[in-house]
Amino acid sequence: MPITPATATHSSSNGTVDAILLELVDENGMTVGTAEKLAAHQPPGQLHRAFSVFLFDERGRLLLQQRALGKYHSPGVWSNTCCGHPYPGEAPFAAAARRTYEELGVSPSLLAEAGTVRYNHPDPASGLVEQEYNHLYVGLVQSPPRPDAEEVGATAFVTPTELAERHAKDTFSAWFMTVLDAARPAVRELTGPSAGW
């Protein structure tokens, strides 16, 4: 697994663990400060920058991931290919490509911007709140995923019909349908009408 600030435990010279900071934004997506990651998700939540990635195979199927059971936020639920938070000052596009590789062991092809969406989704299971200004990306995956078990419990490629069936019986992240619906125009442009998105 690649070692990055998001995947390593950092110890400073005095032996304390460094905090992971998120970029706080206003309603227009302009940076207004930073906050520690867990603190930003405590109710009522602080509006922060995030990203969501949707990758598709050559047949137009969406790559889903099931979040690892060890994650403190939304463990074990199914969600889009990859989601996360840029570091303060990191371009969302770069963060999206970086985290997709770190979590799934694949580098997206033709990764393209698909707009932004702002939402407020409390997570009933954890009590945490997703107050996010989310940058959306769509692209292709052209090699088999090699997920990091600490991040990803399972993966699945699904058609729209298979997604509807899975969504009816499995638990998905609170934000999944919001980000998918916001990305649909770009998804349709990428996958074409025959894929059915």
Side-chain angles (χ1 to χ4, degrees):
M1 176 178 79
I3 303 299
T4 72
T7 59
T9 300
H10 292 287
S11 295
S12 63
S13 58
N14 65 5
T16 61
V17 176
D18 292 343
I20 295 176
L21 296 179
L22 305 186
E23 191 170 86
L24 301 181
V25 299
D26 65 15
E27 294 292 338
N28 297 312
M30 301 301 294
T31 303
V32 296
T34 60
E36 189 276 325
K37 183 177 179 181
L38 186 55
H41 290 87
Q42 297 290 340
Q46 295 175 278
L47 184 59
H48 58 274
R49 195 176 309 284
F51 65 82
S52 290
V53 177
F54 297 85
L55 297 185
F56 296 83
D57 68 6
E58 70 284 350
R59 293 166 49 191
R61 298 179 304 168
L62 172 61
L63 174 59
L64 298 177
Q65 72 153 277
Q66 184 181 36
R67 294 166 62 85
L69 290 174
K71 294 181 86 71
Y72 75 86
H73 189 0
S74 302
V77 303
W78 287 90
S79 199
N80 49 292
T81 309
C82 182
C83 53
H85 310 95
Y87 300 130
E90 182 182 25
F93 184 92
R98 172 179 58 78
R99 283 304 288 161
T100 300
Y101 182 78
E102 290 172 354
E103 292 187 10
L104 294 159
V106 294
S107 295
S109 301
L110 302 177
L111 192 63
E113 294 182 8
T116 59
V117 63
R118 190 261 195 255
Y119 52 80
N120 176 3
H121 285 303
D123 176 37
S126 68
L128 300 175
V129 178
E130 289 289 2
Q131 280 267 24
E132 295 190 330
Y133 187 93
N134 198 312
H135 298 256
L136 308 172
Y137 299 95
V138 300
L140 301 176
V141 59
Q142 297 179 308
S143 58
R146 294 173 286 111
D148 173 357
E150 292 184 12
E151 298 284 348
V152 180
T155 60
F157 283 96
V158 295
T159 65
T161 300
E162 291 165 341
L163 174 60
E165 293 167 356
R166 187 179 288 264
H167 196 263
K169 66 182 179 66
D170 293 332
T171 303
F172 276 71
S173 64
W175 61 87
F176 175 74
M177 287 308 300
T178 299
V179 293
L180 176 59
D181 286 344
R184 277 189 199 273
V187 168
R188 291 183 183 121
E189 187 175 331
L190 176 73
T191 60
S194 62
W197 292 103

